């Protein structure tokens, strides 16, 4: 099948950035009951900005560092030798495995993680407004602009302490990325690419009551993946 070919095709030897997008889908467990599961979508980006779908896996299929190590070993078997940067969810086991198998990698926690926290409690239209404000905090031109945007965010949600408290650690963490020049940071985070993928997968995930396999879900995303 096309999905099988996609999951087994050779990958570039040198990947500029590995982008991991976490999404929630309803999955038919053992053909019996439906559960909400977190699916990680992996995309690669080369130095020319060309992005490709790499693979997907349920988060709870890898609950130890060794599980993730085995997963990335399979990606190495498909051709990857070097990954310079990775933008990933806040997953310690995933991060440790990446550092073990790709020793020179630089890892960043994705701002998509921040948005996903909000999506549990608010509508898409409401989170889209916050989405742009979060982007300005992660991808300000410099540390001065970061501080201005962070203060503005806190002022905007002064009366919404739940939002401020929920995102505080994430928005403060973003400060550590400001030793990297804006153009490079912007390229690594691939913010608008991630936003567009999130929008597409949200539409697909809402198109069915549940999915019976990751292949079924990826097959519906396939036209969009092939247009990247």
């Amino acid at each position: 099948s096309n999905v099988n070919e996609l999951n087994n095709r050779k990958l570039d030897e040198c990947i500029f950035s590995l982008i991991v997008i976490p999404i929630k889908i309803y999955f038919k467990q053992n053909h019996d009951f439906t559960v909400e599961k977190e699916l990680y979508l992996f995309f690669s980006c080369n130095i020319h900005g060309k992005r490709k779908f790499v693979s997907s896996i349920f988060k709870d299929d890898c609950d130890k560092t060794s599980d993730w190590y085995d997963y990335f070993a399979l990606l190495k078997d498909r051709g990857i030798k070097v990954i310079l940067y990775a933008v990933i969810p806040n997953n310690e086991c995933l991060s440790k495995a990446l550092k073990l198998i790709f020793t020179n990698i630089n890892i960043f926690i994705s701002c998509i993680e921040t948005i996903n926290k909000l999506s549990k409690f608010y509508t898409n239209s409401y989170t889209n407004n916050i989405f742009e404000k979060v982007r300005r905090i992660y991808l300000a031109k410099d540390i001065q602009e970061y501080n201005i945007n962070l203060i503005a965010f806190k002022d905007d949600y002064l009366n919404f302490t739940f939002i401020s408290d929920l995102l505080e650690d994430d928005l403060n963490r973003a400060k550590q990325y400001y030793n990297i020049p804006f153009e490079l940071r912007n390229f690594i985070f691939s913010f608008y690419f991630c936003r567009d993928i999130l929008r597409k997968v949200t539409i697909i995930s809402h198109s069915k009551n549940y999915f019976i396999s990751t292949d079924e879900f990826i097959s519906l995303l396939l036209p969009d993946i092939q247009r990247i």
Side-chain angles (χ1 to χ4, degrees), residues 163-217:
I163 291 177
S164 299
D165 290 347
L166 184 68
L167 303 187
E168 183 176 13
D169 287 347
D170 293 30
L171 301 184
N172 288 334
R173 185 195 297 116
K175 187 174 185 178
Q176 72 190 46
Y177 304 141
Y178 277 80
N179 60 332
I180 294 171
F182 168 72
E183 290 79 7
L184 181 56
R185 204 168 1 106
N186 204 26
F187 194 25
I188 293 166
F189 273 93
S190 299
F191 183 88
Y192 290 115
F193 167 77
C194 293
R195 183 198 63 183
D196 291 346
I197 290 291
L198 264 183
R199 286 176 176 172
K200 287 163 183 168
V201 298
T202 300
I203 291 168
I204 292 169
S205 65
H206 291 168
S207 68
K208 299 189 68 169
N209 291 331
Y210 61 83
F211 297 88
I212 58 171
S213 68
T214 53
D215 281 3
E216 181 191 12
F217 181 82

